[in-house]
DNA sequence: GCCATGTTTCCTGCTT
DNA sequence: AAAGCAGGAAACATGG
């Protein structure tokens, strides 16, 4: 299979978010601190000392999220599903490809990747918290969504011919993220919250600044999660058990007495309007 | 194969 | 009474 007739390459109207472009954007990053990739939990996940050519899809998404964060661009500005790509595909994309898939954000992404290709380093490692900020937005079922979206999880990656502009080199000796396997549940939830246009009343912020949110359609969310995990028998009952495990890790905090209400904890990243 | 992590599944008991 | 919530326990999937 190649292109899923038409809708694969389409960018939802919501993408044209010129307004999200920070005026301060400049085409070049300075890389004052190329030496450190923070170790520990974050570092394990954020291994961008690996050449982009060798990124997994997961790492591509990380880069995407990080780049948006660096430029303070809202995560809703681009459809992440358009970037369900391996590093190789990403590296073979042209400027126009970026513009097509990310609209006005495309040039920023293009430039960011170009810098990485040449330097092999991510700029300003201390500008943000590496690692936890990664977003994966699966395609939501058309039946639930108010608009038609790219239907295939993997189709985008097939849009591009794989070229090999970069040869393996010593710089790629870093380990892959330890346990990526796509997004974790809490990230999945977070990303629904952060993408209102993909969140047709599934989950709602109760207190945005405090990170309190509520499930409006608990079973629908569970089904979406199940779809993502290729598990058709997922239920809110089971999903909520996984959510409760997050309390101990302080990814979530308990909210007593309120059904279907959760709160992001100190170890949850990437949900704040102005992170870092 | 072993181990760790992050769920998934099932269950009992309790609360709203 | 139904739907949630709390956790324990064990199974499972993945990746290192």
């Amino acid at each position: 299979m190649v292109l899923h007739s038409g809708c694969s390459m389409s960018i939802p109207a919501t993408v044209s978010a010129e307004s999200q472009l920070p005026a301060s954007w400049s085409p070049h990053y300075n890389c004052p601190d190329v030496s450190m990739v923070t170790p520990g939990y974050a570092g394990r996940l954020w291994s961008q000392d690996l050449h982009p050519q060798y990124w997994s899809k997961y790492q591509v998404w990380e880069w995407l999220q990080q780049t948006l964060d660096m430029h303070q661009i809202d995560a809703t500005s681009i459809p992440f599903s358009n970037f369900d790509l391996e590093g190789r595909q990403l590296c073979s994309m042209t400027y126009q490809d970026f513009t097509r898939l990310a609209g006005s954000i495309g040039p920023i992404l293009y430039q960011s990747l170009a810098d990485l290709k040449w330097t092999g380093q991510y700029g300003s490692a201390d500008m943000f918290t590496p690692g936890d900020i990664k977003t994966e937005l699966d395609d939501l079922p058309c039946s639930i969504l108010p608009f038609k979206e790219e239907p295939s999880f993997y189709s985008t990656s097939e849009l591009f011919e794989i070229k090999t502009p970069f040869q393996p080199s010593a710089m790629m000796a870093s380990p892959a993220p330890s346990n990526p396997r796509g997004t974790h549940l809490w990230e999945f939830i977070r990303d629904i919250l952060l993408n209102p246009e993909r969140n047709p009343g599934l989950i709602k912020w109760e207190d945005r600044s405090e990170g309190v949110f509520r499930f409006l359609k608990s079973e629908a969310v569970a089904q979406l999660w199940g779809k993502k995990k290729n598990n058709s028998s997922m239920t809110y009952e089971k999903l909520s058990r996984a959510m409760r495990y997050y309390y101990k890790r302080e990814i979530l905090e308990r909210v007593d007495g309120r059904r279907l209400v959760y709160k992001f904890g100190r170890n949850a990243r990437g949900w704040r309007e102005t992170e870092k």
Side-chain angles (χ1 to χ4, degrees):
Chain A
M1 47 178 185
V2 190
L3 253 171
H4 288 280
S5 64
C7 94
S8 291
M9 293 292 281
S10 68
I11 301 174
T14 52
V15 176
S16 51
E18 288 82 11
S19 57
Q20 307 284 1
L21 255 177
S24 60
W25 178 73
S26 71
H28 298 292
Y29 304 144
N30 291 318
C31 305
D33 188 1
V34 297
S35 61
M36 41 177 290
V37 173
T38 311
Y41 181 61
R44 282 187 315 160
L45 297 172
W46 182 251
S47 52
Q48 300 305 12
D49 44 342
L50 186 66
H51 191 284
Q53 179 73 15
Y54 303 102
W55 287 350
S56 63
K57 286 182 180 180
Y58 177 80
Q59 288 168 304
V60 169
W61 287 57
E62 280 191 316
W63 160 76
L64 202 50
Q65 184 68 58
Q66 296 289 10
T67 305
L68 294 180
D69 277 6
M70 283 174 75
H71 293 282
Q72 311 212 331
I73 301 168
D74 195 278
T76 61
S77 300
I78 67 167
F80 275 70
S81 59
N82 279 356
F83 287 86
D84 187 32
L85 306 163
E86 308 279 358
R88 275 179 304 184
Q89 276 106 27
L90 191 71
C91 286
S92 70
M93 283 170 61
T94 64
Y95 184 96
Q96 289 180 329
D97 288 330
F98 276 99
T99 302
R100 196 165 60 243
L101 295 183
S104 59
I105 313 297
I108 297 175
L109 299 176
Y110 178 81
Q111 185 61 51
S112 167
L113 186 69
D115 288 349
L116 282 169
K117 281 176 174 177
W118 304 129
T119 65
Q121 295 289 346
Y122 218 104
S124 307
D126 51 359
M127 279 182 64
F128 49 81
T129 302
D132 269 358
I133 306 172
K134 54 193 170 300
T135 299
E136 175 187 350
L137 259 182
D138 203 340
D139 48 308
L140 303 184
C142 296
S143 57
I144 300 182
L145 289 175
F147 59 83
K148 187 129 173 76
E149 244 287 3
E150 148 72 79
S152 168
F153 190 67
Y154 291 107
S155 60
T156 312
S157 62
E158 292 157 2
L159 297 177
F160 304 98
E161 274 297 299
I162 297 174
K163 301 169 194 162
T164 316
F166 300 100
Q167 298 300 313
S169 65
M171 71 161 79
M172 60 163 288
S174 70
S178 59
N179 46 15
R181 200 213 311 158
T183 351
H184 295 151
L185 172 59
W186 71 270
E187 295 166 315
F188 173 79
I189 299 298
R190 175 198 66 189
D191 295 340
I192 290 175
L193 278 162
L194 293 180
N195 290 265
E197 78 278 15
R198 296 177 176 228
N199 177 9
L202 296 174
I203 314 174
K204 170 194 169 195
W205 287 112
E206 289 277 292
D207 186 331
R208 182 69 179 81
S209 60
E210 289 297 307
V212 180
F213 59 92
R214 180 162 55 95
F215 283 77
L216 299 176
K217 300 177 183 173
S218 54
E219 289 303 334
V221 174
Q223 288 200 357
L224 267 186
W225 175 238
K227 177 173 183 279
K228 182 174 182 56
K229 299 291 289 289
N230 199 24
N231 176 352
S232 58
S233 64
M234 180 51 60
T235 62
Y236 176 71
E237 179 81 32
K238 293 186 277 195
L239 182 153
S240 65
R241 180 68 190 94
M243 295 286 278
R244 291 195 291 275
Y245 270 125
Y246 286 142
Y247 294 145
K248 192 171 249 178
R249 296 166 60 198
E250 296 186 271
I251 286 170
L252 294 178
E253 288 177 26
R254 277 196 191 75
V255 176
D256 293 326
R258 305 193 58 197
R259 291 185 162 206
L260 304 172
V261 175
Y262 298 84
K263 181 180 191 294
F264 285 122
R266 59 198 298 179
N267 293 327
R269 297 291 153 75
W271 60 268
R272 289 181 192 281
E273 289 167 297
T274 52
E275 189 98 356
K276 277 278 148 66

